[in-house]
Amino acid sequence: MKKILFIIFLIISTLSFSQEKGEKDIKVGLVLSGGGAKGLAHIGALKVIEESGVRIDYIGGTSMGAIIGALYASGYSAKQLDSIFRQTNFSALIQDDIPRSAKTFFEKQEAEKYALVLPFDKFKVGFPSGLSKGQNMYNLLSKLTSHVSTITDFSKLPIPFFCIATNIETGKEVILDHGYLPRAVTASGALPSLFSPVMIDDKVLIDGGVVNNYPVSEVKAKGMDIIIGVDVQDSLKTRDNLRSAFDVLVQINNYRTIKDMIEKRKETDIYIQPNIKDFSVVSFDAGKNIVESGEIAAEAFREQLSKLASQQKPTEKKEIKFKKLNTIFIKNVEIEGNKKYTRSYVLGKLKLRTPDKITYEDFSEGINNLSATGNFQDINYKFIEDENNENTLLLQLRESNSSLMLRFAAHYDDLFRTAALVNITKKRLFTNNDIASLDLIAGDNLRYNFEYYIDKGFYWSVGFTSKYHFFETDVPLSFIGADLNAELSLPINNLSIKYSDFTNQLYFETLFRRTLIFGLGGEHKYLRYLSETIGTDENNLPRTVFESTNYYSVLGFLKYDSYDNSFFPKSGVYFSSDLHWYLLANGRNKDFKPFSLAKAKLGYAHTFFNTVSAHLTAEGGFKWGGPKTTSLDFALGGYGFKEMNNIIPFIGYEAISLRGNAYLKSTFTLDYEIFRKNHINIGANIANVGNDLFETGGWIDGVDYSGFFAGYGLETVLGPMEIKYSYSPERNASEWYVALGYRF
């Protein structure tokens, strides 16, 4: 009996021990270091860890490690992350490259005019705190983590998570384990000089790698038994590889991190260090190879990882329901932090009226447009979804204190010749939402341009412009024949004229359906051109004045512009039309009778292959009434200058060499982007120009003028650099055109 009892006791004890041993579980923590583009190796390492069956119980990351770690913690698999980052344009992401189609008409004009912008507050030149505000990164992370947007405690994520940031004011480490996940992650990755600092809980935060680029102790403190670490930090570079100030900055930070890793490596049970010596923190174009380096490094530990997985207690993985944010229904918008800019201004930039159902792409474009104004240092947002799947958008803004800017540009074309521009811009000059801008242009010709604009968003905005333009050029003798009202018989073919225009406009405009802009206004124009080659005026000066008159008109305009690039468009549609009704005049034009001028242009761009695109435009204009007034007729010819006063480019002819009170023109361009931002293009333009084309049928009796061209263009920070060769069959002559820099 005693033997039986002993055997029973032994069996029960063994079973109890086995059960106790079976319930023992091993918790695994994952540490992901910072390293910029080299952090893509984390994805490759995660693939092998995942395939080995290891369950990750906590993730701690810094900078790029925080971005990869947060997405993995939110439920994405390593394979999904690989797919996401292969499709991501990191150049656009880092540079806050805001799609042109996302901007309002005013922002488009501003962005395509100035090459350099510097803060000028208190009349002291400053520099931005970073090349990028990280808005595109924030937009992407907000979309990717929308399925966990209601989770504010990061320990409640599918995999508990935290990331590291640095308090720039104290230099101390900040552990971010609660709040809004995309905001925390962008703070952890705010690399100094590349991204602007991020504000969270009244703390100014930058990249966590400054103080702790490998948070192994912090992960271990979460009760983890085993630590897996993936380290993609830089080694020290030699002098030959320190080629920029950014390289030096990274090298200085590496002194400390390399020293710290001596002890931190001892705390890591499985230490994975991909071979990333051939890559830099900005080598995003080598993303595929970097991911593979992570796989190769982790593969060496596959047996150890598989053994670890077998020691973990099996758990059922919860199914993650990712949101497909193709469209969003926004029933309301709550805005916080807008003290200087009104609600209507903010909603106008977002191109958002509530309630409304919009695509996520349109919403992201609206956020980008709000960011493009430069009026906000931080734009935080999240969607609060109710039981009806309707969202309230919570928009948290931090307005920029900068209100004064200096802006610079340079340009050359064959009409205005060389020009250097200095601009001073003041925001909030008289009221909130206003902006005043003055261009002073020096070079071969002196010019100025003043603009004042009160932006009311979807309501009627108010604008005032005042500008003076001047140029001197040769024109055919026939060009000024209409102004003399007499037959000219001079032994010359061309005549040198001095042309000046002084224009003031007051207008009101509003936005329709997020894309169309409609405006009405009034205009005063003083037009004067003369030649010092022929004749003598009433003051016995050696010149002939052909025009010197003040004109007064009312105007209306309608515009639509979805081009992705105004100089080398690959996609989009453009439409512009305007109508001027000239009512009064005083000056040299004594025979003035009221007349109207109408003009319209339609364009379409489409890409057939990745690098080959076609661009087609058609335009025309006509005048009715006032037959004796010819100085505002349409004049065609030249290339590369900013249009003014119905002076319109036409390749194959010299500037303003064709003239009439009506015209039709069409241009076709085939563009091949041989290298990034390097363009070879060929094409042709045709036109009919003359008087009363539509009354006489001259617009359909054949093509009067044509020009064929081939050219090369380069997109630069100073604007497009273009050179074109053209040939005109009617003239049996060729022309070269050079246009350098943004047009103004």
Side-chain angles (χ1 to χ4, degrees), residues 109-165:
Q109 293 172 3
E110 295 288 286
E112 293 162 358
K113 191 174 181 182
Y114 306 109
L116 178 64
V117 180
L118 296 174
F120 195 52
D121 295 288
K122 297 181 180 179
F123 299 99
K124 294 180 181 178
V125 176
F127 295 92
S129 58
L131 295 176
S132 167
K133 289 187 289 186
Q135 191 64 53
N136 282 339
M137 178 68 76
Y138 184 84
N139 291 348
L140 177 63
L141 291 171
S142 293
K143 182 179 181 180
L144 293 176
T145 60
S146 60
H147 59 289
V148 293
S149 61
T150 59
I151 298 176
T152 57
D153 181 352
F154 300 164
S155 68
K156 305 297 184 185
L157 290 168
I159 301 175
F161 168 81
F162 71 83
C163 59
I164 302 294

Short mmCIF file of all heavy atoms in Angstrom, two decimals, residues 109-165:
data_model
loop_
_atom_site.label_atom_id
_atom_site.label_comp_id
_atom_site.label_asym_id
_atom_site.label_seq_id
_atom_site.Cartn_x
_atom_site.Cartn_y
_atom_site.Cartn_z
N GLN A 109 1.69 80.21 -57.61
CA GLN A 109 2.43 81.36 -58.14
C GLN A 109 3.65 81.67 -57.29
O GLN A 109 4.73 81.95 -57.80
CB GLN A 109 1.52 82.58 -58.20
CG GLN A 109 0.39 82.46 -59.20
CD GLN A 109 -0.60 83.61 -59.10
OE1 GLN A 109 -0.42 84.53 -58.32
NE2 GLN A 109 -1.66 83.54 -59.89
N GLU A 110 3.48 81.58 -55.96
CA GLU A 110 4.58 81.89 -55.05
C GLU A 110 5.70 80.86 -55.19
O GLU A 110 6.88 81.21 -55.17
CB GLU A 110 4.08 81.91 -53.60
CG GLU A 110 3.07 83.02 -53.31
CD GLU A 110 3.71 84.38 -53.28
OE1 GLU A 110 4.41 84.68 -52.30
OE2 GLU A 110 3.52 85.15 -54.25
N ALA A 111 5.34 79.58 -55.28
CA ALA A 111 6.34 78.51 -55.32
C ALA A 111 7.12 78.51 -56.62
O ALA A 111 8.23 77.98 -56.68
CB ALA A 111 5.66 77.16 -55.11
N GLU A 112 6.55 79.10 -57.70
CA GLU A 112 7.19 79.06 -59.01
C GLU A 112 7.78 80.40 -59.40
O GLU A 112 7.83 80.77 -60.56
CB GLU A 112 6.16 78.59 -60.05
CG GLU A 112 5.73 77.15 -59.83
CD GLU A 112 4.44 76.79 -60.53
OE1 GLU A 112 3.86 77.69 -61.16
OE2 GLU A 112 4.02 75.63 -60.44
N LYS A 113 8.27 81.09 -58.39
CA LYS A 113 8.80 82.41 -58.63
C LYS A 113 10.12 82.67 -57.90
O LYS A 113 11.01 83.33 -58.42
CB LYS A 113 7.76 83.44 -58.20
CG LYS A 113 8.03 84.87 -58.61
CD LYS A 113 6.83 85.73 -58.23
CE LYS A 113 7.01 87.17 -58.63
NZ LYS A 113 5.86 88.01 -58.22
N TYR A 114 10.26 82.11 -56.70
CA TYR A 114 11.41 82.42 -55.86
C TYR A 114 12.29 81.19 -55.65
O TYR A 114 11.80 80.09 -55.38
CB TYR A 114 10.95 82.96 -54.51
CG TYR A 114 10.02 84.14 -54.64
CD1 TYR A 114 8.66 84.03 -54.34
CD2 TYR A 114 10.48 85.37 -55.10
CE1 TYR A 114 7.80 85.11 -54.47
CE2 TYR A 114 9.63 86.45 -55.25
CZ TYR A 114 8.29 86.32 -54.94
OH TYR A 114 7.44 87.38 -55.08
N ALA A 115 13.60 81.40 -55.77
CA ALA A 115 14.55 80.30 -55.62
C ALA A 115 15.02 80.13 -54.18
O ALA A 115 15.31 79.02 -53.76
CB ALA A 115 15.76 80.56 -56.52
N LEU A 116 15.08 81.22 -53.42
CA LEU A 116 15.58 81.17 -52.05
C LEU A 116 14.69 82.01 -51.15
O LEU A 116 14.37 83.15 -51.48
CB LEU A 116 17.02 81.70 -51.99
CG LEU A 116 17.69 81.78 -50.61
CD1 LEU A 116 17.85 80.38 -50.01
CD2 LEU A 116 19.04 82.47 -50.71
N VAL A 117 14.30 81.44 -50.01
CA VAL A 117 13.44 82.13 -49.04
C VAL A 117 14.12 82.08 -47.68
O VAL A 117 14.50 81.01 -47.20
CB VAL A 117 12.05 81.47 -48.95
CG1 VAL A 117 11.18 82.21 -47.94
CG2 VAL A 117 11.37 81.45 -50.32
N LEU A 118 14.27 83.26 -47.05
CA LEU A 118 14.91 83.33 -45.74
C LEU A 118 14.05 84.15 -44.78
O LEU A 118 13.50 85.19 -45.17
CB LEU A 118 16.29 83.99 -45.84
CG LEU A 118 17.35 83.26 -46.66
CD1 LEU A 118 18.60 84.12 -46.79
CD2 LEU A 118 17.69 81.92 -46.03
N PRO A 119 13.92 83.72 -43.52
CA PRO A 119 13.22 84.54 -42.52
C PRO A 119 13.96 85.87 -42.35
O PRO A 119 15.20 85.91 -42.40
CB PRO A 119 13.30 83.68 -41.25
CG PRO A 119 13.54 82.29 -41.73
CD PRO A 119 14.36 82.43 -42.97
N PHE A 120 13.19 86.93 -42.12
CA PHE A 120 13.80 88.27 -41.99
C PHE A 120 13.16 89.04 -40.83
O PHE A 120 13.05 90.25 -40.87
CB PHE A 120 13.63 89.03 -43.31
CG PHE A 120 14.49 90.24 -43.45
CD1 PHE A 120 15.86 90.18 -43.24
CD2 PHE A 120 13.93 91.47 -43.80
CE1 PHE A 120 16.65 91.31 -43.36
CE2 PHE A 120 14.71 92.60 -43.93
CZ PHE A 120 16.08 92.52 -43.71
N ASP A 121 12.73 88.32 -39.79
CA ASP A 121 12.07 88.96 -38.67
C ASP A 121 13.04 89.88 -37.92
O ASP A 121 14.22 89.56 -37.75
CB ASP A 121 11.52 87.90 -37.72
CG ASP A 121 10.42 87.09 -38.38
OD1 ASP A 121 9.32 87.63 -38.56
OD2 ASP A 121 10.68 85.93 -38.75
N LYS A 122 12.50 91.02 -37.50
CA LYS A 122 13.28 92.07 -36.83
C LYS A 122 14.45 92.52 -37.71
O LYS A 122 15.49 92.95 -37.22
CB LYS A 122 13.80 91.59 -35.47
CG LYS A 122 12.68 91.26 -34.49
CD LYS A 122 13.22 90.80 -33.15
CE LYS A 122 12.07 90.47 -32.19
NZ LYS A 122 12.54 89.99 -30.89
N PHE A 123 14.25 92.38 -39.03
CA PHE A 123 15.22 92.81 -40.04
C PHE A 123 16.57 92.11 -39.87
O PHE A 123 17.63 92.68 -40.16
CB PHE A 123 15.38 94.33 -40.03
CG PHE A 123 14.11 95.05 -40.34
CD1 PHE A 123 13.32 95.57 -39.32
CD2 PHE A 123 13.67 95.17 -41.65
CE1 PHE A 123 12.13 96.21 -39.60
CE2 PHE A 123 12.47 95.82 -41.93
CZ PHE A 123 11.69 96.34 -40.90
N LYS A 124 16.51 90.85 -39.41
CA LYS A 124 17.71 90.03 -39.29
C LYS A 124 17.49 88.76 -40.10
O LYS A 124 16.47 88.09 -39.95
CB LYS A 124 18.00 89.67 -37.83
CG LYS A 124 18.37 90.88 -36.97
CD LYS A 124 18.65 90.44 -35.54
CE LYS A 124 19.00 91.64 -34.67
NZ LYS A 124 19.23 91.23 -33.25
N VAL A 125 18.46 88.45 -40.96
CA VAL A 125 18.34 87.25 -41.79
C VAL A 125 18.49 86.02 -40.91
O VAL A 125 19.43 85.91 -40.11
CB VAL A 125 19.41 87.23 -42.90
CG1 VAL A 125 19.33 85.93 -43.70
CG2 VAL A 125 19.22 88.43 -43.82
N GLY A 126 17.55 85.11 -41.01
CA GLY A 126 17.60 83.87 -40.25
C GLY A 126 17.63 82.67 -41.18
O GLY A 126 17.65 82.80 -42.41
N PHE A 127 17.64 81.50 -40.59
CA PHE A 127 17.64 80.26 -41.36
C PHE A 127 16.62 79.31 -40.76
O PHE A 127 16.38 79.31 -39.56
CB PHE A 127 19.03 79.61 -41.36
CG PHE A 127 20.06 80.44 -42.07
CD1 PHE A 127 20.84 81.36 -41.37
CD2 PHE A 127 20.24 80.33 -43.44
CE1 PHE A 127 21.78 82.14 -42.02
CE2 PHE A 127 21.17 81.10 -44.10
CZ PHE A 127 21.95 82.01 -43.39
N PRO A 128 16.00 78.47 -41.58
CA PRO A 128 15.00 77.53 -41.06
C PRO A 128 15.62 76.55 -40.07
O PRO A 128 16.82 76.25 -40.15
CB PRO A 128 14.51 76.80 -42.33
CG PRO A 128 14.95 77.64 -43.47
CD PRO A 128 16.17 78.36 -43.03
N SER A 129 14.81 76.04 -39.12
CA SER A 129 15.30 75.08 -38.14
C SER A 129 15.51 73.71 -38.74
O SER A 129 16.15 72.85 -38.13
CB SER A 129 14.32 74.98 -36.96
OG SER A 129 13.04 74.59 -37.41
N GLY A 130 15.01 73.47 -39.94
CA GLY A 130 15.22 72.20 -40.63
C GLY A 130 14.83 72.34 -42.08
O GLY A 130 14.08 73.24 -42.45
N LEU A 131 15.38 71.46 -42.92
CA LEU A 131 15.03 71.51 -44.34
C LEU A 131 13.59 71.12 -44.58
O LEU A 131 12.99 71.49 -45.57
CB LEU A 131 15.96 70.58 -45.12
CG LEU A 131 17.45 70.96 -45.13
CD1 LEU A 131 18.24 69.89 -45.86
CD2 LEU A 131 17.66 72.32 -45.77
N SER A 132 13.02 70.34 -43.66
CA SER A 132 11.66 69.84 -43.82
C SER A 132 10.93 69.88 -42.48
O SER A 132 11.53 69.69 -41.43
CB SER A 132 11.69 68.40 -44.36
OG SER A 132 10.44 67.78 -44.25
N LYS A 133 9.62 70.13 -42.55
CA LYS A 133 8.80 70.07 -41.34
C LYS A 133 8.30 68.65 -41.06
O LYS A 133 7.65 68.41 -40.05
CB LYS A 133 7.61 71.02 -41.47
CG LYS A 133 8.00 72.49 -41.40
CD LYS A 133 6.78 73.40 -41.37
CE LYS A 133 6.08 73.42 -42.70
NZ LYS A 133 4.99 74.41 -42.75
N GLY A 134 8.58 67.74 -41.96
CA GLY A 134 8.16 66.35 -41.76
C GLY A 134 6.68 66.13 -41.96
O GLY A 134 6.15 65.11 -41.50
N GLN A 135 6.00 67.04 -42.67
CA GLN A 135 4.55 66.92 -42.82
C GLN A 135 4.16 65.70 -43.65
O GLN A 135 3.19 65.00 -43.34
CB GLN A 135 3.98 68.19 -43.46
CG GLN A 135 2.47 68.28 -43.43
CD GLN A 135 1.93 68.34 -42.01
OE1 GLN A 135 2.34 69.17 -41.22
NE2 GLN A 135 1.02 67.44 -41.67
N ASN A 136 4.93 65.43 -44.71
CA ASN A 136 4.61 64.27 -45.53
C ASN A 136 4.78 62.97 -44.75
O ASN A 136 4.00 62.03 -44.92
CB ASN A 136 5.49 64.24 -46.78
CG ASN A 136 5.00 65.21 -47.85
OD1 ASN A 136 3.85 65.62 -47.85
ND2 ASN A 136 5.88 65.59 -48.75
N MET A 137 5.81 62.91 -43.92
CA MET A 137 6.02 61.72 -43.08
C MET A 137 4.85 61.56 -42.10
O MET A 137 4.34 60.45 -41.89
CB MET A 137 7.34 61.87 -42.31
CG MET A 137 7.64 60.71 -41.36
SD MET A 137 7.96 59.16 -42.24
CE MET A 137 9.64 59.47 -42.80
N TYR A 138 4.42 62.66 -41.53
CA TYR A 138 3.30 62.62 -40.58
C TYR A 138 2.02 62.16 -41.29
O TYR A 138 1.25 61.35 -40.75
CB TYR A 138 3.11 64.01 -39.98
CG TYR A 138 2.03 64.10 -38.92
CD1 TYR A 138 2.31 63.76 -37.60
CD2 TYR A 138 0.75 64.53 -39.23
CE1 TYR A 138 1.32 63.85 -36.62
CE2 TYR A 138 -0.23 64.61 -38.27
CZ TYR A 138 0.06 64.28 -36.97
OH TYR A 138 -0.92 64.35 -36.01
N ASN A 139 1.78 62.67 -42.51
CA ASN A 139 0.59 62.26 -43.26
C ASN A 139 0.60 60.75 -43.54
O ASN A 139 -0.43 60.08 -43.39
CB ASN A 139 0.54 63.01 -44.59
CG ASN A 139 0.26 64.49 -44.42
OD1 ASN A 139 -0.11 64.94 -43.34
ND2 ASN A 139 0.45 65.26 -45.47
N LEU A 140 1.76 60.23 -43.94
CA LEU A 140 1.87 58.81 -44.25
C LEU A 140 1.63 57.96 -43.00
O LEU A 140 0.87 56.99 -43.03
CB LEU A 140 3.24 58.50 -44.84
CG LEU A 140 3.53 57.02 -45.14
CD1 LEU A 140 2.56 56.50 -46.20
CD2 LEU A 140 4.98 56.82 -45.58
N LEU A 141 2.27 58.34 -41.89
CA LEU A 141 2.11 57.56 -40.66
C LEU A 141 0.68 57.63 -40.13
O LEU A 141 0.16 56.65 -39.59
CB LEU A 141 3.10 58.06 -39.60
CG LEU A 141 4.57 57.75 -39.89
CD1 LEU A 141 5.47 58.48 -38.90
CD2 LEU A 141 4.84 56.27 -39.84
N SER A 142 0.03 58.78 -40.28
CA SER A 142 -1.36 58.91 -39.83
C SER A 142 -2.27 57.98 -40.62
O SER A 142 -3.17 57.35 -40.05
CB SER A 142 -1.85 60.36 -40.01
OG SER A 142 -1.16 61.22 -39.13
N LYS A 143 -2.02 57.87 -41.91
CA LYS A 143 -2.83 56.97 -42.74
C LYS A 143 -2.56 55.52 -42.39
O LYS A 143 -3.49 54.72 -42.23
CB LYS A 143 -2.53 57.23 -44.22
CG LYS A 143 -3.37 56.37 -45.16
CD LYS A 143 -3.06 56.68 -46.61
CE LYS A 143 -3.93 55.83 -47.54
NZ LYS A 143 -3.64 56.11 -48.97
N LEU A 144 -1.27 55.17 -42.23
CA LEU A 144 -0.91 53.77 -41.98
C LEU A 144 -1.34 53.28 -40.61
O LEU A 144 -1.53 52.08 -40.41
CB LEU A 144 0.60 53.58 -42.15
CG LEU A 144 1.15 53.76 -43.57
CD1 LEU A 144 2.67 53.65 -43.58
CD2 LEU A 144 0.55 52.73 -44.52
N THR A 145 -1.47 54.20 -39.65
CA THR A 145 -1.84 53.78 -38.28
C THR A 145 -3.27 54.17 -37.93
O THR A 145 -3.63 54.21 -36.76
CB THR A 145 -0.87 54.40 -37.25
OG1 THR A 145 -0.94 55.84 -37.33
CG2 THR A 145 0.56 53.96 -37.49
N SER A 146 -4.09 54.44 -38.94
CA SER A 146 -5.47 54.87 -38.67
C SER A 146 -6.26 53.80 -37.92
O SER A 146 -7.20 54.12 -37.18
CB SER A 146 -6.18 55.21 -39.98
OG SER A 146 -6.22 54.08 -40.84
N HIS A 147 -5.89 52.53 -38.08
CA HIS A 147 -6.62 51.44 -37.42
C HIS A 147 -6.37 51.40 -35.91
O HIS A 147 -7.07 50.71 -35.18
CB HIS A 147 -6.25 50.10 -38.04
CG HIS A 147 -4.79 49.77 -37.96
ND1 HIS A 147 -3.83 50.43 -38.69
CD2 HIS A 147 -4.12 48.85 -37.22
CE1 HIS A 147 -2.65 49.93 -38.42
NE2 HIS A 147 -2.79 48.98 -37.52
N VAL A 148 -5.33 52.12 -35.43
CA VAL A 148 -5.06 52.19 -33.99
C VAL A 148 -5.09 53.63 -33.49
O VAL A 148 -4.50 53.96 -32.47
CB VAL A 148 -3.70 51.53 -33.65
CG1 VAL A 148 -3.75 50.03 -33.90
CG2 VAL A 148 -2.56 52.17 -34.44
N SER A 149 -5.78 54.49 -34.24
CA SER A 149 -5.76 55.92 -33.92
C SER A 149 -6.42 56.25 -32.59
O SER A 149 -6.15 57.30 -31.99
CB SER A 149 -6.45 56.72 -35.03
OG SER A 149 -7.81 56.33 -35.16
N THR A 150 -7.28 55.37 -32.09
CA THR A 150 -7.96 55.63 -30.80
C THR A 150 -7.12 55.16 -29.61
O THR A 150 -7.48 55.44 -28.47
CB THR A 150 -9.32 54.91 -30.77
OG1 THR A 150 -9.11 53.50 -30.95
CG2 THR A 150 -10.24 55.44 -31.86
N ILE A 151 -6.02 54.48 -29.86
CA ILE A 151 -5.16 53.98 -28.77
C ILE A 151 -4.16 55.06 -28.40
O ILE A 151 -3.32 55.46 -29.21
CB ILE A 151 -4.44 52.69 -29.19
CG1 ILE A 151 -5.45 51.59 -29.49
CG2 ILE A 151 -3.46 52.24 -28.10
CD1 ILE A 151 -4.84 50.30 -30.00
N THR A 152 -4.25 55.54 -27.18
CA THR A 152 -3.33 56.57 -26.70
C THR A 152 -2.28 56.02 -25.75
O THR A 152 -1.28 56.68 -25.48
CB THR A 152 -4.10 57.70 -26.01
OG1 THR A 152 -4.87 57.15 -24.93
CG2 THR A 152 -5.02 58.41 -26.98
N ASP A 153 -2.51 54.82 -25.22
CA ASP A 153 -1.52 54.14 -24.39
C ASP A 153 -0.84 53.10 -25.27
O ASP A 153 -1.44 52.10 -25.66
CB ASP A 153 -2.22 53.47 -23.20
CG ASP A 153 -1.25 52.76 -22.26
OD1 ASP A 153 -0.04 52.66 -22.61
OD2 ASP A 153 -1.68 52.30 -21.18
N PHE A 154 0.44 53.33 -25.60
CA PHE A 154 1.12 52.47 -26.57
C PHE A 154 1.31 51.04 -26.06
O PHE A 154 1.60 50.15 -26.86
CB PHE A 154 2.47 53.07 -26.96
CG PHE A 154 2.37 54.44 -27.59
CD1 PHE A 154 3.49 55.26 -27.71
CD2 PHE A 154 1.15 54.93 -28.07
CE1 PHE A 154 3.42 56.52 -28.28
CE2 PHE A 154 1.06 56.19 -28.65
CZ PHE A 154 2.20 56.99 -28.74
N SER A 155 1.16 50.83 -24.77
CA SER A 155 1.25 49.46 -24.24
C SER A 155 0.01 48.65 -24.61
O SER A 155 -0.01 47.43 -24.44
CB SER A 155 1.44 49.48 -22.72
OG SER A 155 0.27 49.97 -22.08
N LYS A 156 -1.03 49.32 -25.11
CA LYS A 156 -2.27 48.64 -25.52
C LYS A 156 -2.28 48.32 -27.01
O LYS A 156 -3.26 47.79 -27.53
CB LYS A 156 -3.48 49.52 -25.20
CG LYS A 156 -3.57 49.96 -23.74
CD LYS A 156 -3.74 48.78 -22.79
CE LYS A 156 -3.92 49.27 -21.34
NZ LYS A 156 -3.96 48.13 -20.39
N LEU A 157 -1.21 48.64 -27.72
CA LEU A 157 -1.11 48.29 -29.13
C LEU A 157 -1.01 46.77 -29.27
O LEU A 157 -0.73 46.07 -28.29
CB LEU A 157 0.13 48.95 -29.74
CG LEU A 157 0.09 50.47 -29.92
CD1 LEU A 157 1.47 51.01 -30.25
CD2 LEU A 157 -0.91 50.87 -30.99
N PRO A 158 -1.25 46.24 -30.46
CA PRO A 158 -1.11 44.79 -30.65
C PRO A 158 0.21 44.25 -30.09
O PRO A 158 0.26 43.16 -29.55
CB PRO A 158 -1.21 44.63 -32.17
CG PRO A 158 -2.13 45.74 -32.58
CD PRO A 158 -1.78 46.89 -31.69
N ILE A 159 1.28 45.01 -30.25
CA ILE A 159 2.54 44.74 -29.55
C ILE A 159 2.89 46.01 -28.79
O ILE A 159 3.01 47.08 -29.40
CB ILE A 159 3.68 44.38 -30.53
CG1 ILE A 159 3.32 43.15 -31.35
CG2 ILE A 159 4.98 44.14 -29.76
CD1 ILE A 159 4.36 42.81 -32.42
N PRO A 160 3.07 45.92 -27.46
CA PRO A 160 3.41 47.12 -26.68
C PRO A 160 4.66 47.80 -27.25
O PRO A 160 5.60 47.11 -27.71
CB PRO A 160 3.65 46.58 -25.28
CG PRO A 160 2.81 45.34 -25.21
CD PRO A 160 2.87 44.75 -26.59
N PHE A 161 4.69 49.13 -27.18
CA PHE A 161 5.73 49.88 -27.89
C PHE A 161 6.05 51.18 -27.15
O PHE A 161 5.21 51.76 -26.47
CB PHE A 161 5.22 50.20 -29.31
CG PHE A 161 6.05 51.21 -30.06
CD1 PHE A 161 7.21 50.83 -30.70
CD2 PHE A 161 5.65 52.54 -30.13
CE1 PHE A 161 7.98 51.75 -31.40
CE2 PHE A 161 6.40 53.47 -30.83
CZ PHE A 161 7.57 53.07 -31.47
N PHE A 162 7.29 51.62 -27.29
CA PHE A 162 7.67 52.98 -26.91
C PHE A 162 8.79 53.43 -27.84
O PHE A 162 9.44 52.62 -28.50
CB PHE A 162 8.11 53.06 -25.44
CG PHE A 162 9.45 52.42 -25.16
CD1 PHE A 162 10.64 53.11 -25.38
CD2 PHE A 162 9.52 51.12 -24.69
CE1 PHE A 162 11.87 52.52 -25.14
CE2 PHE A 162 10.74 50.51 -24.46
CZ PHE A 162 11.93 51.22 -24.68
N CYS A 163 9.00 54.74 -27.89
CA CYS A 163 10.13 55.26 -28.66
C CYS A 163 10.82 56.36 -27.89
O CYS A 163 10.29 56.88 -26.90
CB CYS A 163 9.69 55.75 -30.04
SG CYS A 163 8.45 57.06 -30.04
N ILE A 164 12.01 56.71 -28.34
CA ILE A 164 12.86 57.66 -27.63
C ILE A 164 12.98 58.96 -28.43
O ILE A 164 13.19 58.93 -29.65
CB ILE A 164 14.27 57.08 -27.41
CG1 ILE A 164 14.20 55.77 -26.62
CG2 ILE A 164 15.17 58.09 -26.70
CD1 ILE A 164 13.71 55.91 -25.21
N ALA A 165 12.85 60.08 -27.74
CA ALA A 165 13.11 61.40 -28.32
C ALA A 165 14.04 62.16 -27.38
O ALA A 165 14.32 61.71 -26.26
CB ALA A 165 11.81 62.17 -28.54
#
